[in-house]
Amino acid sequence: MNTHITMKEMPESEQPVEKCFRYGAQVLSDAELLAVILRSGTKSMTALQLAQLFLSQKDKNLLNLNRMQMEEMLKIPGIGQVKAVQLKCIAELARRITKTSRIQNVTLNDPKSIADYYMEHLRHETKEKLLLSMFDAKSSLLGDEIISVGTVTNSLVSPREIYLKALEYKSVHIVLLHNHPSGDPEPSEADINVTMRVMECGVILGITLADHIIIGDNKYISFRENGLLV
């Protein structure tokens, strides 16, 4: 006897799994993809309906995964701590996959390649983060470190901390990156002052500040490309 249940006979919350198995994940809608992750809904909602409810919040699309805090997610009926953690982990995995796929293209001589590499890491942040990216004599990326969280100003950014990290990694060149939560990467006066101060310290230590890149919402400004770094 054939006991196989067809897609139409399956509960709505399980349909995306069967659909994915038959045709591949690429055919699933955003809500169906999330339903597969969530796995279950509530007594009054299927997983698919819960996913649709999640997507109707805030940005009304998948950006909710990045831009909603866990506290906001927990206010949605049917999303508890475990589901909120699952959703944030999916967002983090997506960011890391994007970053990993771009690392081979990162070159010190191409500010766009650096901006692309860090774009998903920084563009969704709600606070300014200053990140130090370090390169060797062959312009290969050695690693990166977050230097500060908060407004980038002379009072918060310590050249000493930046160059201690650079020396620790045996860097020859460094690049500063930070995000503007507003989405507009236009540098402020404070951004320019910090850059000049860090660059001057680097001259003394023999470590070149090759660029300062400000990340906006899917766009960036490079001090080097715009002639702001002498």
Side-chain angles (χ1 to χ4, degrees):
M1 182 181 293
N2 183 5
T3 59
H4 180 72
I5 301 174
T6 67
M7 194 185 304
K8 289 183 179 179
E9 294 171 324
M10 294 174 70
E12 187 182 0
S13 61
E14 295 178 22
Q15 287 179 16
V17 175
E18 177 73 7
K19 191 174 174 182
C20 180
F21 184 77
R22 289 187 181 187
Y23 308 115
Q26 70 275 7
V27 306
L28 300 185
S29 67
D30 292 348
E32 287 172 330
L33 285 169
L34 288 181
V36 172
I37 303 302
L38 293 171
R39 297 182 60 186
S40 62
T42 67
K43 290 182 179 179
S44 59
M45 280 189 295
T46 65
L48 185 57
Q49 289 169 330
L50 179 57
Q52 289 167 339
L53 177 61
F54 173 80
L55 289 173
S56 71
Q57 310 294 310
K58 206 162 185 173
D59 284 282
K60 304 191 184 304
N61 54 44
L62 286 174
L63 288 177
N64 287 347
L65 290 168
N66 287 304
R67 295 180 179 173
M68 288 183 73
Q69 302 300 315
M70 278 199 200
E71 293 76 13
E72 295 176 282
M73 293 182 179
L74 291 172
K75 293 177 182 178
I76 300 173
I79 294 185
Q81 287 186 352
V82 172
K83 283 185 169 57
V85 167
Q86 288 173 328
L87 293 171
K88 294 307 288 185
C89 285
I90 287 299
E92 182 58 28
L93 274 173
R95 279 200 271 193
R96 294 189 189 189
I97 289 170
T98 300
K99 193 174 179 183
T100 301
S101 68
R102 290 173 174 171
I103 191 169
Q104 299 300 326
N105 298 321
V106 176
T107 171
L108 187 63
N109 296 319
D110 182 7
K112 185 178 184 303
S113 73
I114 302 172
D116 285 346
Y117 180 62
Y118 290 104
M119 183 63 69
E120 291 306 309
H121 179 71
L122 290 172
R123 65 183 284 239
H124 300 296
E125 294 289 344
T126 57
K127 293 182 179 179
E128 284 193 19
K129 284 189 176 180
L130 178 66
L131 186 145
L132 173 66
S133 185
M134 292 158 285
F135 296 79
D136 64 15
K138 295 182 179 179
S139 299
S140 298
L141 181 62
L142 295 170
D144 51 57
E145 296 277 350
I146 291 180
I147 299 299
S148 69
V149 178
T151 305
V152 176
T153 64
N154 280 330
S155 60
L156 294 177
V157 177
S158 166
R160 179 178 181 274
E161 187 176 349
I162 288 171
Y163 285 107
L164 279 175
K165 283 294 180 186
L167 290 167
E168 181 183 327
Y169 278 77
K170 297 181 173 60
S171 311
V172 176
H173 312 279
I174 61 171
V175 173
L176 294 178
L177 298 102
H178 81 277
N179 62 301
H180 280 179
S182 67
D184 180 5
E186 191 67 30
S188 67
E189 186 176 345
D191 294 334
I192 295 170
N193 290 339
V194 165
T195 305
M196 295 304 107
R197 184 165 169 240
V198 173
M199 183 183 66
E200 289 165 3
C201 293
V203 171
I204 297 170
L205 292 170
I207 298 174
T208 304
L209 175 61
D211 206 347
H212 184 172
I213 297 172
I214 303 176
I215 301 291
D217 189 6
N218 239 355
K219 51 190 175 181
Y220 75 95
I221 281 183
S222 157
F223 275 53
R224 179 177 175 178
E225 285 182 334
N226 286 274
L228 297 173
L229 202 62
V230 180

